[in-house]
Amino acid sequence: MVEKVRPRMDIVDSARAAMRAVGITPVDKPIRGGTDGAQLSWRGLPCPNLFTGGYNMHGPYEFAVVEEMNLAVETILGILDRYAGKGDSRS
């Protein structure tokens, strides 16, 4: 994915800014391929993975934290605001 996302770091920068606006310190952590984002990136739509509030994915101890899921929603809405020209309307 990095090959497809690196030329469009503005997307990553926008996500980082939206995370900071809701009080999250962004952490870049490479993950393995095979995700929906990887497939979309290779098809021409760069899609860095964002957090969801979930932990221990695809295992018997998988769980999600509702408050973190809400922060994920606020982050996505913040990204949309930025691309819609509304800036930091959620911060």
Side-chain angles (χ1 to χ4, degrees):
M1 273 176 66
V2 71
E3 296 172 39
K4 301 298 182 180
V5 174
R6 187 174 286 138
R8 291 295 314 274
M9 287 305 286
D10 59 295
I11 296 169
V12 176
D13 294 338
S14 179
R16 288 177 180 147
M19 292 169 107
R20 287 187 191 98
V22 296
I24 297 170
T25 301
V27 175
D28 294 341
K29 181 178 169 186
I31 63 169
R32 67 172 186 78
T35 65
D36 293 339
Q39 292 298 317
L40 290 168
S41 293
W42 278 102
R43 293 177 184 179
L45 181 64
C47 295
N49 288 313
L50 302 175
F51 72 102
T52 61
Y55 294 86
N56 304 324
M57 299 305 224
H58 309 305
Y61 302 107
E62 181 175 351
F63 68 96
V65 177
V66 173
E67 293 81 5
E68 291 183 24
M69 291 173 70
N70 288 333
L71 288 173
V73 170
E74 289 299 315
T75 297
I76 293 166
L77 293 172
I79 293 168
L80 293 171
D81 283 349
R82 282 170 173 72
Y83 282 94
K86 296 179 183 176
D88 292 324
S89 66
R90 295 186 180 275
S91 55

Coordinates of all heavy atoms in Angstrom, one line a residue:
M1 N 0.8 -1.2 0.0 CA 0.0 0.0 0.0 C 0.9 1.3 0.0 O 0.5 2.2 -0.6 CB -0.9 0.0 1.2 CG -2.2 -0.7 1.0 SD -3.2 -0.7 2.5 CE -3.6 1.0 2.8
V2 N 2.0 1.2 0.7 CA 2.8 2.4 0.8 C 3.2 3.0 -0.6 O 3.3 4.2 -0.7 CB 4.0 2.2 1.7 CG1 5.1 1.3 1.1 CG2 4.6 3.5 2.2
E3 N 3.4 2.1 -1.5 CA 3.8 2.5 -2.9 C 2.7 3.4 -3.5 O 3.0 4.3 -4.2 CB 4.0 1.3 -3.8 CG 5.2 0.5 -3.4 CD 5.2 -0.8 -4.2 OE1 5.0 -0.7 -5.4 OE2 5.5 -1.8 -3.7
K4 N 1.4 3.1 -3.2 CA 0.3 3.8 -3.8 C -0.1 5.1 -2.9 O -0.6 6.0 -3.5 CB -0.9 2.9 -3.9 CG -0.6 1.7 -4.8 CD -0.2 2.2 -6.2 CE 0.0 1.0 -7.1 NZ 0.3 1.4 -8.5
V5 N 0.1 5.0 -1.6 CA -0.3 6.1 -0.7 C 0.8 7.2 -0.7 O 0.5 8.4 -0.6 CB -0.6 5.5 0.7 CG1 -0.9 6.7 1.6 CG2 -1.8 4.6 0.6
R6 N 2.1 6.8 -0.7 CA 3.2 7.7 -0.6 C 3.1 8.9 -1.5 O 3.3 10.1 -1.1 CB 4.5 7.1 -0.7 CG 5.7 8.0 -0.4 CD 7.0 7.3 -0.4 NE 7.2 6.5 0.8 CZ 7.7 5.3 0.8 NH1 8.1 4.7 -0.3 NH2 7.8 4.6 2.0
P7 N 2.7 8.8 -2.8 CA 2.6 9.9 -3.7 C 1.4 10.9 -3.3 O 1.3 12.0 -3.8 CB 2.3 9.3 -5.0 CG 2.8 7.9 -5.0 CD 2.6 7.5 -3.5
R8 N 0.5 10.4 -2.4 CA -0.6 11.2 -2.0 C -0.6 11.4 -0.5 O -1.6 11.1 0.2 CB -1.9 10.5 -2.4 CG -2.2 10.5 -3.9 CD -2.4 11.9 -4.5 NE -3.3 12.8 -3.7 CZ -4.6 12.8 -3.9 NH1 -5.2 12.1 -4.7 NH2 -5.3 13.7 -3.1
M9 N 0.5 11.9 0.1 CA 0.6 12.0 1.5 C -0.4 13.1 2.0 O -0.6 13.2 3.2 CB 2.0 12.3 1.9 CG 3.0 11.1 1.8 SD 2.4 9.7 2.8 CE 2.8 10.3 4.4
D10 N -0.9 13.9 1.1 CA -1.9 14.9 1.6 C -3.1 14.2 2.3 O -3.7 14.7 3.2 CB -2.4 15.7 0.4 CG -3.0 14.9 -0.7 OD1 -2.3 14.1 -1.3 OD2 -4.2 15.1 -0.9
I11 N -3.4 12.9 1.8 CA -4.5 12.2 2.4 C -4.2 11.8 3.8 O -5.0 11.9 4.7 CB -4.8 10.9 1.5 CG1 -5.2 11.3 0.1 CG2 -5.7 10.0 2.2 CD1 -5.3 10.2 -0.9
V12 N -2.9 11.3 4.0 CA -2.5 10.9 5.3 C -2.4 12.2 6.2 O -2.8 12.1 7.4 CB -1.1 10.2 5.2 CG1 -0.5 9.9 6.6 CG2 -1.2 9.0 4.4
D13 N -1.9 13.3 5.7 CA -1.8 14.5 6.5 C -3.2 15.0 6.9 O -3.4 15.4 8.0 CB -1.1 15.6 5.7 CG 0.4 15.3 5.4 OD1 0.9 14.5 6.2 OD2 0.9 15.8 4.5
S14 N -4.2 14.8 6.1 CA -5.5 15.2 6.4 C -6.1 14.3 7.5 O -6.7 14.8 8.5 CB -6.4 15.1 5.2 OG -7.7 15.4 5.5
A15 N -5.8 13.0 7.4 CA -6.2 12.1 8.5 C -5.6 12.4 9.8 O -6.2 12.5 10.9 CB -6.0 10.7 8.1
R16 N -4.3 12.7 9.8 CA -3.5 13.1 11.0 C -4.1 14.3 11.6 O -4.3 14.4 12.8 CB -2.1 13.3 10.7 CG -1.3 12.0 10.4 CD 0.1 12.4 10.0 NE 0.9 11.2 9.7 CZ 1.9 11.2 8.8 NH1 2.2 12.3 8.1 NH2 2.5 10.1 8.6
A17 N -4.4 15.3 10.8 CA -5.0 16.6 11.3 C -6.4 16.4 11.9 O -6.7 16.9 13.0 CB -5.1 17.6 10.2
A18 N -7.2 15.5 11.3 CA -8.5 15.2 11.8 C -8.4 14.5 13.1 O -9.2 14.7 14.0 CB -9.3 14.4 10.8
M19 N -7.4 13.6 13.2 CA -7.2 12.9 14.5 C -6.8 13.9 15.6 O -7.4 13.8 16.7 CB -6.2 11.8 14.3 CG -6.6 10.7 13.4 SD -5.2 9.6 13.0 CE -5.6 8.2 14.0
R20 N -5.9 14.7 15.3 CA -5.5 15.7 16.3 C -6.6 16.6 16.8 O -6.7 16.9 17.9 CB -4.3 16.5 15.8 CG -3.0 15.8 15.7 CD -1.8 16.7 15.3 NE -0.7 15.9 15.0 CZ -0.3 15.6 13.7 NH1 -1.0 16.0 12.7 NH2 0.8 14.9 13.6
A21 N -7.5 16.9 15.8 CA -8.6 17.8 16.1 C -9.6 17.2 17.2 O -10.3 17.9 17.9 CB -9.4 18.2 14.9
V22 N -9.6 15.8 17.2 CA -10.5 15.2 18.2 C -9.7 14.6 19.4 O -10.2 13.9 20.2 CB -11.3 14.0 17.6 CG1 -12.3 14.6 16.6 CG2 -10.5 12.9 17.0
G23 N -8.4 15.1 19.5 CA -7.6 14.8 20.7 C -6.8 13.5 20.6 O -6.4 13.0 21.6
I24 N -6.6 13.0 19.4 CA -5.8 11.7 19.2 C -4.5 12.1 18.7 O -4.3 12.9 17.8 CB -6.5 10.8 18.2 CG1 -7.9 10.4 18.8 CG2 -5.7 9.6 17.9 CD1 -8.8 9.7 17.8
T25 N -3.4 11.4 19.3 CA -2.1 11.5 18.7 C -1.9 10.4 17.7 O -1.9 9.2 18.1 CB -1.0 11.4 19.9 OG1 -1.2 12.4 20.8 CG2 0.4 11.5 19.3
P26 N -1.8 10.8 16.4 CA -1.6 9.8 15.4 C -0.4 8.9 15.6 O 0.7 9.4 16.0 CB -1.5 10.6 14.1 CG -2.0 11.9 14.4 CD -1.7 12.1 15.9
V27 N -0.5 7.6 15.3 CA 0.6 6.7 15.3 C 0.6 5.9 14.0 O -0.4 5.3 13.7 CB 0.5 5.7 16.5 CG1 1.6 4.6 16.5 CG2 0.4 6.4 17.8
D28 N 1.7 6.1 13.2 CA 1.8 5.3 12.0 C 2.4 4.0 12.3 O 3.4 3.8 12.9 CB 2.7 6.1 11.0 CG 2.2 7.4 10.6 OD1 0.9 7.6 10.7 OD2 3.0 8.2 10.1
K29 N 1.6 2.9 11.9 CA 2.0 1.6 12.1 C 1.7 0.7 10.9 O 0.5 0.6 10.5 CB 1.2 1.1 13.3 CG 1.6 -0.4 13.7 CD 0.7 -0.7 15.0 CE 0.8 -2.2 15.3 NZ 0.0 -2.6 16.4
P30 N 2.7 0.2 10.2 CA 2.5 -0.6 9.0 C 1.7 -1.8 9.4 O 1.9 -2.4 10.5 CB 3.9 -1.0 8.6 CG 4.8 -0.1 9.3 CD 4.2 0.4 10.5
I31 N 0.8 -2.2 8.5 CA 0.1 -3.5 8.7 C 0.2 -4.3 7.4 O 0.6 -3.8 6.4 CB -1.4 -3.2 9.0 CG1 -2.1 -2.5 7.8 CG2 -1.6 -2.4 10.3 CD1 -3.6 -2.5 7.9
R32 N -0.1 -5.5 7.5 CA 0.0 -6.4 6.3 C -1.0 -6.1 5.3 O -2.0 -5.4 5.6 CB -0.1 -7.9 6.7 CG -1.5 -8.3 7.2 CD -1.6 -9.8 7.4 NE -2.9 -10.1 7.7 CZ -3.9 -10.3 6.8 NH1 -3.7 -10.0 5.6 NH2 -5.1 -10.6 7.2
G33 N -0.8 -6.5 4.1 CA -1.7 -6.2 3.0 C -2.9 -7.1 3.0 O -3.1 -7.8 4.0
G34 N -3.8 -7.0 2.0 CA -5.0 -7.8 2.0 C -6.2 -7.1 2.5 O -7.3 -7.7 2.4
T35 N -6.0 -5.9 3.0 CA -7.2 -5.2 3.5 C -8.0 -4.6 2.3 O -7.5 -4.5 1.2 CB -6.7 -4.1 4.4 OG1 -6.0 -3.1 3.7 CG2 -5.9 -4.6 5.6
D36 N -9.2 -4.1 2.6 CA -10.0 -3.4 1.6 C -9.2 -2.2 1.1 O -9.2 -1.9 -0.1 CB -11.3 -2.9 2.2 CG -12.2 -4.1 2.5 OD1 -12.0 -5.2 2.0 OD2 -13.1 -3.9 3.3
G37 N -8.5 -1.5 2.0 CA -7.7 -0.3 1.7 C -6.6 -0.6 0.7 O -6.3 0.1 -0.2
A38 N -6.0 -1.8 0.9 CA -4.9 -2.2 0.0 C -5.5 -2.5 -1.4 O -4.9 -2.1 -2.4 CB -4.2 -3.5 0.5
Q39 N -6.6 -3.2 -1.4 CA -7.2 -3.5 -2.7 C -7.6 -2.2 -3.5 O -7.3 -2.0 -4.7 CB -8.4 -4.4 -2.6 CG -8.1 -5.8 -2.1 CD -7.2 -6.5 -3.1 OE1 -7.4 -6.5 -4.3 NE2 -6.2 -7.2 -2.6
L40 N -8.2 -1.3 -2.8 CA -8.6 0.0 -3.4 C -7.4 0.8 -3.8 O -7.4 1.4 -4.9 CB -9.5 0.8 -2.4 CG -10.9 0.2 -2.2 CD1 -11.6 0.9 -1.0 CD2 -11.7 0.4 -3.4
S41 N -6.4 0.8 -3.0 CA -5.2 1.6 -3.3 C -4.6 1.1 -4.6 O -4.2 1.8 -5.5 CB -4.1 1.5 -2.2 OG -4.6 2.2 -1.1
W42 N -4.5 -0.3 -4.8 CA -3.9 -0.8 -6.0 C -4.8 -0.6 -7.2 O -4.4 -0.7 -8.3 CB -3.6 -2.3 -5.8 CG -2.3 -2.5 -5.1 CD1 -2.1 -2.8 -3.8 CD2 -1.0 -2.3 -5.6 NE1 -0.8 -2.8 -3.5 CE2 -0.1 -2.5 -4.6 CE3 -0.5 -2.0 -6.9 CZ2 1.3 -2.4 -4.8 CZ3 0.8 -1.8 -7.1 CH2 1.7 -2.1 -6.1
R43 N -6.1 -0.3 -7.0 CA -7.0 0.0 -8.1 C -7.1 1.5 -8.4 O -7.9 1.9 -9.2 CB -8.3 -0.6 -7.8 CG -8.3 -2.1 -7.7 CD -9.6 -2.7 -7.4 NE -9.5 -4.1 -7.3 CZ -10.4 -5.0 -7.0 NH1 -11.6 -4.5 -6.7 NH2 -10.2 -6.2 -6.9
G44 N -6.2 2.3 -7.7 CA -6.2 3.7 -8.1 C -6.8 4.7 -7.1 O -6.8 5.9 -7.3
L45 N -7.3 4.2 -6.0 CA -7.9 5.0 -5.0 C -7.1 4.9 -3.7 O -7.4 4.0 -2.9 CB -9.4 4.7 -4.7 CG -10.1 5.5 -3.7 CD1 -10.2 6.9 -4.1 CD2 -11.5 4.9 -3.5
P46 N -6.1 5.7 -3.4 CA -5.2 5.6 -2.3 C -6.0 5.6 -1.0 O -6.8 6.6 -0.7 CB -4.3 6.7 -2.3 CG -4.4 7.2 -3.7 CD -5.7 6.9 -4.2
C47 N -5.9 4.6 -0.2 CA -6.7 4.5 1.1 C -5.9 4.0 2.2 O -5.8 2.8 2.5 CB -7.8 3.4 0.9 SG -9.1 3.9 -0.3
P48 N -5.3 5.0 3.0 CA -4.6 4.5 4.2 C -5.6 4.0 5.2 O -6.7 4.5 5.2 CB -3.9 5.8 4.7 CG -4.6 6.9 4.0 CD -5.2 6.4 2.8
N49 N -5.2 3.0 6.0 CA -6.1 2.5 7.0 C -6.2 3.4 8.2 O -5.2 4.0 8.6 CB -5.5 1.1 7.5 CG -5.7 0.1 6.4 OD1 -6.8 -0.1 5.8 ND2 -4.7 -0.7 6.1
L50 N -7.3 3.6 8.7 CA -7.6 4.4 9.9 C -8.0 3.4 11.0 O -8.4 2.3 10.8 CB -8.7 5.4 9.6 CG -8.4 6.4 8.5 CD1 -9.6 7.2 8.3 CD2 -7.2 7.2 8.8
F51 N -8.0 3.9 12.2 CA -8.4 3.1 13.4 C -9.9 3.0 13.4 O -10.6 3.8 12.9 CB -7.9 3.8 14.7 CG -8.6 5.0 15.1 CD1 -9.5 5.0 16.0 CD2 -8.3 6.2 14.4 CE1 -10.2 6.2 16.4 CE2 -9.0 7.4 14.8 CZ -9.9 7.4 15.7
T52 N -10.4 2.0 14.1 CA -11.8 1.7 14.3 C -12.3 1.6 15.7 O -13.5 1.6 16.0 CB -12.2 0.4 13.6 OG1 -11.5 -0.7 14.2 CG2 -11.9 0.4 12.1
G53 N -11.3 1.6 16.6 CA -11.7 1.4 18.0 C -11.6 -0.1 18.4 O -12.0 -0.5 19.5
G54 N -11.2 -0.9 17.5 CA -11.2 -2.4 17.7 C -9.8 -2.9 18.1 O -8.8 -2.2 17.8
Y55 N -9.7 -4.0 18.8 CA -8.5 -4.6 19.3 C -8.5 -6.1 19.0 O -9.6 -6.7 19.0 CB -8.3 -4.3 20.8 CG -8.1 -2.8 21.1 CD1 -9.2 -2.0 21.3 CD2 -6.8 -2.3 21.2 CE1 -9.0 -0.7 21.6 CE2 -6.6 -1.0 21.5 CZ -7.7 -0.2 21.7 OH -7.5 1.2 22.0
N56 N -7.3 -6.7 19.0 CA -7.2 -8.1 18.8 C -8.0 -8.6 17.6 O -8.7 -9.6 17.7 CB -7.6 -8.9 20.1 CG -6.9 -8.4 21.3 OD1 -5.7 -8.1 21.2 ND2 -7.5 -8.3 22.4
M57 N -7.9 -7.9 16.5 CA -8.7 -8.2 15.3 C -8.6 -9.6 14.8 O -7.5 -10.2 14.8 CB -8.4 -7.3 14.2 CG -8.6 -5.8 14.5 SD -10.3 -5.5 15.0 CE -10.6 -4.1 14.2
H58 N -9.7 -10.2 14.4 CA -9.8 -11.5 13.9 C -9.4 -12.7 14.8 O -9.0 -13.7 14.3 CB -9.1 -11.6 12.5 CG -9.4 -10.5 11.6 ND1 -10.7 -10.2 11.2 CD2 -8.6 -9.6 11.0 CE1 -10.7 -9.2 10.4 NE2 -9.4 -8.7 10.3
G59 N -9.5 -12.4 16.1 CA -9.1 -13.4 17.0 C -10.2 -13.7 18.0 O -11.2 -13.0 18.0
P60 N -10.0 -14.6 18.9 CA -11.1 -15.0 19.9 C -11.3 -13.9 20.9 O -12.3 -13.9 21.6 CB -10.6 -16.3 20.5 CG -9.1 -16.3 20.3 CD -8.9 -15.5 19.0
Y61 N -10.4 -13.0 21.1 CA -10.5 -11.9 22.1 C -10.7 -10.5 21.4 O -10.4 -9.5 22.0 CB -9.2 -11.9 23.0 CG -9.0 -13.2 23.6 CD1 -8.0 -14.1 23.2 CD2 -9.9 -13.7 24.7 CE1 -7.8 -15.3 23.8 CE2 -9.7 -14.9 25.3 CZ -8.7 -15.7 24.8 OH -8.6 -17.0 25.4
E62 N -11.2 -10.5 20.2 CA -11.5 -9.3 19.5 C -12.6 -8.5 20.3 O -13.6 -9.1 20.8 CB -12.0 -9.5 18.1 CG -12.3 -8.3 17.3 CD -12.6 -8.6 15.9 OE1 -12.5 -9.8 15.4 OE2 -13.1 -7.7 15.2
F63 N -12.4 -7.2 20.4 CA -13.4 -6.3 21.0 C -13.3 -4.9 20.5 O -12.3 -4.6 19.9 CB -13.3 -6.3 22.6 CG -12.0 -5.7 23.1 CD1 -12.0 -4.4 23.5 CD2 -10.8 -6.4 23.2 CE1 -10.9 -3.8 24.0 CE2 -9.7 -5.8 23.7 CZ -9.7 -4.5 24.1
A64 N -14.3 -4.1 20.8 CA -14.2 -2.7 20.4 C -14.6 -1.8 21.5 O -15.5 -2.2 22.4 CB -15.2 -2.5 19.2
V65 N -14.1 -0.6 21.6 CA -14.4 0.3 22.6 C -15.3 1.4 22.0 O -14.9 2.1 21.1 CB -13.1 1.0 23.2 CG1 -13.4 2.0 24.2 CG2 -12.1 -0.1 23.8
V66 N -16.5 1.5 22.5 CA -17.5 2.4 22.0 C -16.9 3.8 21.9 O -17.1 4.5 20.9 CB -18.8 2.3 22.7 CG1 -19.8 3.4 22.3 CG2 -19.4 1.0 22.6
E67 N -16.3 4.3 22.9 CA -15.8 5.7 22.9 C -14.8 5.9 21.8 O -14.7 6.9 21.1 CB -15.2 6.0 24.3 CG -16.2 6.1 25.4 CD -16.6 4.7 26.0 OE1 -16.0 3.7 25.6 OE2 -17.5 4.7 26.8
E68 N -13.9 4.9 21.5 CA -12.9 5.0 20.5 C -13.6 4.8 19.1 O -13.2 5.5 18.1 CB -11.9 3.9 20.7 CG -11.0 4.2 21.9 CD -9.8 3.3 22.0 OE1 -9.4 2.6 21.1 OE2 -9.4 3.2 23.2
M69 N -14.7 4.1 19.0 CA -15.4 4.0 17.8 C -16.0 5.4 17.4 O -16.0 5.8 16.3 CB -16.5 2.9 17.8 CG -16.0 1.5 17.9 SD -17.3 0.3 18.2 CE -18.2 0.3 16.6
N70 N -16.5 6.0 18.5 CA -17.1 7.4 18.3 C -16.0 8.4 17.8 O -16.2 9.2 16.9 CB -17.7 7.9 19.6 CG -19.0 7.2 19.8 OD1 -19.7 6.8 18.9 ND2 -19.4 7.2 21.1
L71 N -14.8 8.2 18.4 CA -13.6 9.1 17.9 C -13.3 8.8 16.4 O -12.9 9.7 15.7 CB -12.4 8.9 18.8 CG -12.5 9.5 20.2 CD1 -11.3 9.1 21.0 CD2 -12.6 11.0 20.1
A72 N -13.4 7.5 16.0 CA -13.2 7.1 14.6 C -14.2 7.8 13.7 O -13.8 8.4 12.7 CB -13.2 5.6 14.5
V73 N -15.4 7.8 14.1 CA -16.5 8.5 13.4 C -16.2 10.0 13.3 O -16.2 10.6 12.2 CB -17.9 8.3 14.0 CG1 -18.9 9.2 13.3 CG2 -18.3 6.8 13.8
E74 N -15.8 10.6 14.4 CA -15.5 12.1 14.4 C -14.3 12.4 13.5 O -14.2 13.4 12.8 CB -15.3 12.6 15.8 CG -16.5 12.6 16.6 CD -17.5 13.6 16.1 OE1 -17.2 14.7 15.6 OE2 -18.7 13.2 16.0
T75 N -13.3 11.4 13.5 CA -12.1 11.6 12.6 C -12.5 11.6 11.2 O -12.1 12.4 10.4 CB -11.1 10.5 12.9 OG1 -10.6 10.6 14.3 CG2 -9.9 10.6 12.0
I76 N -13.4 10.6 10.8 CA -13.8 10.5 9.4 C -14.6 11.8 9.0 O -14.4 12.3 7.9 CB -14.6 9.2 9.2 CG1 -13.7 8.0 9.3 CG2 -15.3 9.2 7.8 CD1 -14.4 6.7 9.5
L77 N -15.5 12.2 9.9 CA -16.2 13.4 9.6 C -15.3 14.6 9.5 O -15.5 15.5 8.6 CB -17.3 13.7 10.7 CG -18.4 12.6 10.7 CD1 -19.3 12.9 11.9 CD2 -19.2 12.7 9.4
G78 N -14.3 14.7 10.3 CA -13.3 15.8 10.1 C -12.5 15.7 8.8 O -12.3 16.8 8.2
I79 N -12.2 14.5 8.3 CA -11.6 14.4 7.0 C -12.5 14.9 5.9 O -12.1 15.6 5.1 CB -11.2 12.9 6.8 CG1 -10.1 12.5 7.7 CG2 -10.7 12.7 5.3 CD1 -9.8 11.0 7.7
L80 N -13.8 14.5 6.0 CA -14.8 14.9 5.0 C -14.9 16.5 5.1 O -15.0 17.1 4.0 CB -16.1 14.3 5.3 CG -16.2 12.8 5.0 CD1 -17.5 12.2 5.5 CD2 -15.9 12.5 3.6
D81 N -14.9 17.0 6.3 CA -15.0 18.5 6.4 C -13.8 19.2 5.7 O -14.0 20.2 5.0 CB -15.0 18.9 7.8 CG -16.4 18.7 8.5 OD1 -17.4 18.5 7.8 OD2 -16.4 18.9 9.8
R82 N -12.7 18.6 5.8 CA -11.5 19.2 5.2 C -11.6 19.2 3.7 O -11.3 20.1 3.0 CB -10.2 18.5 5.6 CG -9.8 18.9 7.0 CD -8.7 18.0 7.6 NE -8.2 18.6 8.8 CZ -8.9 18.6 10.0 NH1 -10.1 18.0 10.0 NH2 -8.4 19.1 11.0
Y83 N -12.0 18.1 3.1 CA -12.1 17.9 1.7 C -13.3 18.7 1.1 O -13.4 19.0 -0.1 CB -12.1 16.5 1.2 CG -10.7 16.0 1.3 CD1 -10.2 15.3 2.4 CD2 -9.8 16.2 0.2 CE1 -8.9 14.8 2.4 CE2 -8.5 15.8 0.2 CZ -8.0 15.1 1.3 OH -6.7 14.7 1.4
A84 N -14.3 19.0 2.0 CA -15.5 19.8 1.6 C -15.2 21.3 1.7 O -16.1 22.1 1.4 CB -16.7 19.4 2.4
G85 N -14.0 21.6 2.2 CA -13.6 23.0 2.3 C -14.1 23.7 3.6 O -14.1 24.9 3.7
K86 N -14.5 22.9 4.6 CA -15.0 23.4 5.8 C -13.9 23.5 6.9 O -14.2 24.0 8.0 CB -16.1 22.6 6.4 CG -17.4 22.5 5.5 CD -18.4 21.7 6.0 CE -19.6 21.6 5.1 NZ -20.6 20.7 5.6
G87 N -12.7 23.1 6.6 CA -11.6 23.2 7.5 C -11.8 22.4 8.8 O -12.2 21.3 8.7
D88 N -11.5 23.1 9.9 CA -11.6 22.4 11.2 C -12.9 22.7 11.9 O -12.9 23.0 13.1 CB -10.4 22.9 12.1 CG -9.1 22.4 11.6 OD1 -9.0 21.3 11.1 OD2 -8.1 23.2 11.7
S89 N -14.0 22.5 11.2 CA -15.3 22.9 11.8 C -15.7 22.0 13.0 O -16.5 22.3 13.8 CB -16.4 22.8 10.8 OG -16.6 21.5 10.3
R90 N -15.0 20.8 13.2 CA -15.4 19.9 14.3 C -14.4 20.1 15.5 O -14.6 19.5 16.5 CB -15.3 18.5 13.9 CG -16.4 18.2 12.8 CD -16.4 16.8 12.5 NE -17.5 16.6 11.5 CZ -18.8 16.5 11.9 NH1 -19.1 16.5 13.1 NH2 -19.7 16.4 10.9
S91 N -13.4 20.9 15.4 CA -12.5 21.1 16.5 C -12.8 22.2 17.4 O -13.7 22.9 17.2 CB -11.0 21.3 16.0 OG -11.0 22.4 15.1

